Each structure stands twice: as C-alpha cells, then as structure tokens.
Amino acid sequence: KQEVTQIPAALSVPEGENLVLNCSFTDSAIYNLQWFRQDPGKGLTSLLLIQSSQREQTSGRLNASLDKSSGRSTLYIAASQPGDSATYLCAVSKGGATNKLIFGTGTLLAVQP
Amino acid sequence: NAGVTQTPKFRVLKTGQSMTLLCAQDMNHEYMYWYRQDPGMGLRLIHYSVGEGTTAKGEVPDGYNVSRLKKQNFLLGLESAAPSQTSVYFCASKGTEAFFGQGTRLTVV
C-alpha cells in the first residue's frame, strides 16, 4: 500500500528565505506526482505536476524535483513571501484503471514578514 | 474557465436528514473523486468514478452513495446524516492533472 509522508509538518521562516519542503513515498511505481497549495478554508490549488519520466518542473519561484528510485520529491520555494503562507500537499498517482491520488498530510508553512 | 464547481458551499443538517452534494467539471475528464478532509486525518477518498455510469468505493465509503449519470457531474449523497459526517468535502476531476473544487463545509448536529 502506497504511503506518502511530508516532513516537516509545520515550518516557520522569515520573509525572503529560500526553503525546501519534503515528500516521500513508499512505492516507486508512480505515474506522476503533484504538489498542491491549500489556503485556510479553501480548496486545493495545483502548483506543479511532475511526470514519472521527469526530474523537475519549475513555475516562477517554485521548483519541484522528483527522484523516483529513492521515493522522494522536494518543493523548493525561492525568496519566500508572506503570501506563500499556506498548507502544501503532495500527492502521487499510480495511473492505471483508477488513476487515484494518494495524499501526504501536508506541511503548514508560515512566512513571517 | 470554471474548472470544478461544488454546490453548496456550506450546509447544516440535523441528524438523520439527507442531502446531495453536486460536483460539476467542464474539462471533459473521465475520472472524478469525492474526498473528505478532517483535522489530523488528511484527505480521505470516499468514492470515485472512472467514467460516465461507473462508481467505486474508496477508503471511507460507509454512509455515502454516489452517482455519475452524466460525464460532467458527480453526485455525493448522504441518506441519513450522522455527526461523524461533519467534515469538509472536496470533489476532484483528473485527466493527467487533478483539479479540485472549493469544498463544501458540512455540519451535522
């Protein structure tokens, strides 16, 4: 059974700092991995999708990497801003008949002004 | 560019009442999912559908039913609501990438 873990569970950093969020998964046979952001009381917003054949994806100040063989992904946020404060979730999909997403429990990020 | 739309956004039910949550997507996705999100439990899959006319059970299906009569709509029903079903419910649709609705906050008293 696929298990997804995110460390740390919570992180507080001063504005301007670069930071890394970690996601690990137990079954390396994934189809893709997706990073989401969730603001309090809101839905999940897709940030980046990495296909299993890719090593990384970039969008603005965000860079996500994938090391499938070791079961790890990282989300790098450059020059953090208070507006980056949110919960960040990673989810893996095995594709196939159900195409289900298996979620980690998230990292709560607070960027202090 | 609506994406995934959930209705209603908020609802309060009395124990034993029934209701239906509606999820609509405009991306022509085959796969649709209903999750619930509770503090400390993360997102848990209730039911899902791999195409029009199909449904299947997820991790926590008890007390819920679903239907997918049209490809763009996925309905989640609570036949007899219980306080344990107080939660935030999210619908998602997925092609390669998954997109989520804004959620329905349900309180059962």
Side-chain angles (χ1 to χ4, degrees):
Chain A
K1 179 185 173 184
Q2 177 73 273
E3 293 183 0
V4 182
T5 305
Q6 290 186 247
I7 294 173
L11 180 63
S12 180
V13 301
E15 181 177 3
E17 207 167 273
N18 303 325
L19 59 101
V20 174
L21 307 181
N22 296 293
C23 173
S24 61
F25 46 95
T26 55
D27 183 354
S28 63
I30 65 169
Y31 179 64
N32 59 39
L33 183 146
Q34 200 167 348
W35 281 94
F36 295 89
R37 168 191 173 129
Q38 186 176 27
D39 294 289
K42 303 292 186 183
L44 280 70
T45 300
S46 179
L47 296 174
L48 288 164
L49 172 76
I50 310 179
Q51 300 285 15
S52 62
S53 59
Q54 296 175 319
R55 297 286 290 184
E56 64 178 76
Q57 280 285 348
T58 298
S59 175
R61 293 182 296 108
L62 305 180
N63 176 278
S65 69
L66 175 64
D67 184 342
K68 204 172 69 160
S69 61
S70 67
R72 291 182 183 177
S73 176
T74 62
L75 179 67
Y76 175 83
I77 302 177
S80 58
Q81 302 170 358
D84 293 330
S85 299
T87 298
Y88 290 80
L89 295 152
C90 70
V92 298
S93 172
K94 203 167 183 175
T98 66
N99 211 7
K100 286 189 282 187
L101 283 170
I102 308 299
F103 280 89
T105 49
T107 294
L108 176 61
L109 173 65
V111 181
Q112 308 299 332
Chain B
N1 188 20
V4 180
T5 303
Q6 288 184 236
T7 53
K9 290 185 171 51
F10 303 94
R11 185 75 184 267
V12 178
L13 285 180
K14 293 182 179 178
T15 298
Q17 286 186 320
S18 63
M19 77 165 294
T20 300
L21 284 68
L22 171 64
C23 177
Q25 54 103 354
D26 62 2
M27 295 171 282
N28 203 35
H29 286 162
E30 294 290 342
Y31 301 92
M32 296 186 74
Y33 308 86
W34 277 106
Y35 292 88
R36 60 178 290 173
Q37 187 176 41
D38 303 288
M41 303 292 289
L43 280 152
R44 292 183 291 169
L45 182 63
I46 305 171
H47 284 282
Y48 63 97
S49 168
V50 301
E52 181 179 312
T54 75
T55 62
K57 295 179 181 180
E59 297 174 69
V60 289
D62 295 342
Y64 305 95
N65 56 76
V66 287
S67 65
R68 183 122 181 250
L69 299 179
K70 292 183 179 181
K71 187 176 184 179
Q72 64 266 35
N73 296 335
F74 194 29
L75 279 63
L76 178 71
L78 287 73
E79 290 186 346
S80 179
S84 60
Q85 294 178 304
T86 293
S87 187
V88 181
Y89 292 85
F90 288 103
C91 174
S93 78
K94 190 172 187 293
T96 299
E97 189 172 357
F99 295 91
F100 279 74
Q102 287 301 298
T104 296
R105 187 171 297 274
L106 175 66
T107 302
V108 183
V109 297

